[in-house]
Amino acid sequence: MYYARVPKGTSYAEVNKERMKGKIDMKKNRIARGTIKGFAVTILALGLVLGFGPAARTATSSLQPGTSSGFQFVADGYGTQATLGSTVVAGKTAVSSLGACGIVQPPVHNENTVVSTDATPLFTTGVVNTTADGTTLLDGTLQAMATADVLDASLLVTQLGGVITADEVKAVSTTTHDTSGFHTNAEGSTFVNLVVAGVPITVLPAPNTDISLPGFGHVVLNEQITKMKSRSASFTVNMIHVFIDVANVLNIPIGTQIIVSHASSGLTSGVQGTLDGQAYGTKATVARVVTSGPSALVKMSCLGTNGALRTNSVAEVQVPPLFSVGEVVDTALGTVDATSATGELTSTVQGVDVVTSLVTASLVKADAHASNTGGTLTFSDDGSIFVDLHVTGFPDINDDVPPNTRLHIVGLGTLWLHRVIQTSNSIEVRMIEVIVTEANSFGIAIGTDIQVAVSEASAH
C-alpha cells in the first residue's frame, strides 16, 4: 500500500486554495499542476490507493500451435444484402468467414444458418446456409472455399409476387494453389427453378449474364469477379446481383443494389502470418456509446504496410472537462513475408491534460509491437513513455511509473497509467485511462471511459 503524502486533514479544495495563494511549494511537494475541484476530502481518510501490476516492458513470446502454410487463406459467404451507395439498407445474413484477416494455418471451418429473411419489397427468402473453409487437400493443394445456399428466394416483391424467384440459389467460390500455380472456379454454383421477369431460366447462365428488368433496372446472374496476380488470387461469385436504375412502382431508391448468394475466396503466397491493430490519441465512451471518437485513428492492414510508415495526425483535441490535448500523431508500420510478420503501432500525444488537470504530461507515447517469426508470437510495449507526468495528490508518481499502475480516485473512479492488456495474439497499451464509477463535481457521467494515447497490435 502507498498513500499520497499530503498532511492529514487537508482536502483537495484546500490544496488547490493554498496553491493558488502560493503557500505550497509545487516543486518540493510535486503536487500535479492544475486545479482539481470537488475532492474536498482528506486523501488518507478516503484511501486513494496506488496499486502496481506486473511490468510489461519485456517482450513476451508464445509458440503458436501448428505451422504456417506460408499462405493467407480468405473466404466468406452470406445469403443476402442490400445497399444504397455506401449505406447498408439490409445487412448481410448468415455470414460465414475465416476472419477479417483470414488464416495461415489450415484446416479451419466456419458455417452459419438462418431460418428465413424478410426485407420486403427488396427480397424474402427461406433457409440460408453458408460455409467458409481453408484446407490442404491430400495431394498438397491449398484450397480456400466459400458457399452460400439460399432457398425460396423472391426479389422485388410486388402484389403479384417477386420479379425474380428461385427455389434455390447456390454460390460456390473456390481458389486453389498447386505446383502449377493459382486456380479459381465456381463449380457447384446453381439455380433451381429460376424465373426472371416471368421467363424461366432452365440452364445455368454463363458468367456475368446481364438481363434487363423493365421498370426497375437490370440484373447480373452468375456474376464472377476474378483477380489473379503473381503472388495471389481471389474469386467472388454473386449469383443474383440486382441494380435499381429507374424509378419504380415499389419506390426502391435509384442506386439500390441487391445481392443474393455471395461467396468469395482467395489465397496469397509468401505469408508467415497476418497483422492487425490500431492506434489513436484520444477517445471517450459512456456505457460503450462513443461520446468522442478515436482521434487521428490509424489501422494496420492484414498484410502490413509494405514497410511504409502510415501516419495520421490532428493539431489538437479539446473535450472539456474530459481532456484537452495538443498535437496527436499516430503511426502504423508493418511487414509480412514468408518468414515473419512484424507490426508496430504508436500514438504520441503532446500537451496532455485529463479531467481538469487530474493528470498532466508534456508528452505521452503508447508503443505496441507484435510479431510472428517462424510460428513464435512476440509482443512488447517497448518505447511507451511519459514525459513530465504529474497526478494531483500523488507526488511520487513520475515518468517511470510501472506498467499497470492503478489509482483509486475517490469522488471520481479509477485511473490507470501505462495499462497493458495482453492476449494470446495481441497487446494493447493504454497510457492513460480514467473509468468514472462515482458521482463527481465535474458532471462526468458514471460509466464514462476516457482514454489517451492508445496503441494495439496483434499477430496471427
Side-chain angles (χ1 to χ4, degrees):
M1 288 285 217
Y2 171 82
Y3 298 93
R5 292 194 295 272
V6 175
K8 187 173 181 180
T10 303
S11 70
Y12 271 110
E14 291 168 341
V15 167
N16 287 321
K17 182 178 179 181
E18 291 302 304
R19 175 194 167 191
M20 296 305 291
K21 290 181 178 180
K23 294 184 178 180
I24 294 179
D25 183 345
M26 299 306 290
K27 291 183 179 180
K28 179 179 180 180
N29 290 282
R30 299 181 65 190
I31 303 297
R33 292 171 289 177
T35 301
I36 293 293
K37 301 178 181 178
F39 298 124
V41 285
T42 62
I43 295 173
L44 287 175
L46 289 176
L48 295 178
V49 180
L50 169 62
F52 296 101
R57 296 195 178 189
T58 302
T60 57
S61 304
S62 62
L63 187 64
Q64 186 82 342
T67 303
S68 171
S69 63
F71 281 73
Q72 177 197 35
F73 296 67
V74 295
D76 73 270
Y78 60 82
T80 56
Q81 183 190 37
T83 59
L84 177 59
S86 60
T87 301
V88 176
V89 178
K92 298 175 181 178
T93 57
V95 176
S96 289
S97 171
L98 295 182
C101 287
I103 63 164
V104 295
Q105 296 173 355
V108 173
H109 170 77
N110 184 242
E111 61 183 47
N112 204 348
T113 299
V114 297
V115 174
S116 64
T117 69
D118 188 348
T120 305
L122 302 177
F123 58 78
T124 63
T125 75
V127 175
V128 178
N129 294 302
T130 64
T131 65
D133 289 273
T135 56
T136 302
L137 305 182
L138 292 177
D139 63 358
T141 298
L142 304 179
Q143 176 177 282
M145 181 178 182
T147 70
D149 194 8
V150 178
L151 304 182
D152 301 323
S154 181
L155 290 80
L156 307 178
V157 183
T158 70
Q159 291 181 344
L160 300 177
V163 174
I164 302 172
T165 61
D167 291 346
E168 182 179 12
V169 183
K170 185 175 183 179
V172 180
S173 169
T174 304
T175 302
T176 59
H177 184 273
D178 57 22
T179 55
S180 63
F182 292 101
H183 313 275
T184 63
N185 71 77
E187 294 177 9
S189 299
T190 188
F191 291 106
V192 176
N193 294 330
L194 173 65
V195 178
V196 178
V199 179
I201 308 292
T202 58
V203 297
L204 181 65
N208 302 309
T209 295
D210 196 317
I211 299 176
S212 176
L213 297 174
F216 290 96
H218 68 283
V219 60
V220 178
L221 300 176
N222 193 12
E223 182 177 50
Q224 298 185 12
I225 303 169
T226 305
K227 295 181 181 180
M228 195 76 69
K229 299 180 180 180
S230 60
R231 292 184 52 242
S232 65
S234 65
F235 185 49
T236 296
V237 178
N238 297 313
M239 291 304 286
I240 300 176
H241 192 169
V242 172
F243 298 81
I244 302 299
D245 300 330
V246 298
N248 53 86
V249 296
L250 297 177
N251 294 316
I252 300 172
I254 294 173
T256 298
Q257 297 186 33
I258 305 168
I259 292 175
V260 173
S261 289
H262 162 96
S264 179
S265 61
L267 291 167
T268 300
S269 66
V271 179
Q272 167 63 36
T274 59
L275 301 172
D276 195 6
Q278 62 179 358
Y280 52 86
T282 58
K283 187 176 78 168
T285 60
V286 178
R288 299 186 179 180
V289 176
V290 176
T291 55
S292 177
S295 59
L297 177 66
V298 65
K299 292 188 175 183
M300 179 71 76
S301 302
C302 297
L303 298 181
T305 64
N306 199 29
L309 186 67
R310 183 176 298 164
T311 302
N312 195 5
S313 64
V314 296
E316 62 177 25
V317 186
Q318 307 289 329
V319 188
L322 304 183
F323 52 77
S324 173
V325 304
E327 185 181 37
V328 176
V329 179
D330 298 326
T331 69
L333 178 64
T335 58
V336 174
D337 56 31
T339 60
S340 67
T342 302
E344 178 183 12
L345 291 110
T346 72
S347 178
T348 303
V349 185
Q350 300 195 40
V352 175
D353 184 326
V354 179
V355 189
T356 315
S357 299
L358 169 64
V359 184
T360 62
S362 59
L363 182 144
V364 181
K365 181 180 180 181
D367 198 340
H369 305 255
S371 67
N372 178 343
T373 303
T376 298
L377 302 183
T378 303
F379 307 95
S380 85
D381 65 336
D382 288 346
S384 299
I385 60 171
F386 289 104
V387 177
D388 200 20
L389 173 66
H390 296 269
V391 180
T392 293
F394 292 89
D396 283 0
I397 293 292
N398 56 42
D399 295 349
D400 295 323
V401 60
N404 291 316
T405 293
R406 182 173 64 180
L407 300 169
H408 177 209
I409 309 297
V410 173
L412 188 66
T414 298
L415 167 64
W416 288 91
L417 296 172
H418 196 163
R419 187 177 187 183
V420 179
I421 302 170
Q422 190 167 333
T423 70
S424 61
N425 65 357
S426 71
I427 184 170
E428 181 178 4
V429 182
R430 302 176 184 175
M431 292 302 285
I432 300 174
E433 181 173 21
V434 177
I435 302 172
V436 178
T437 58
E438 303 173 27
N440 56 86
S441 64
F442 303 101
I444 302 174
I446 292 176
T448 296
D449 188 332
I450 303 165
Q451 298 177 8
V452 176
V454 177
S455 62
E456 178 184 1
S458 65
H460 309 268

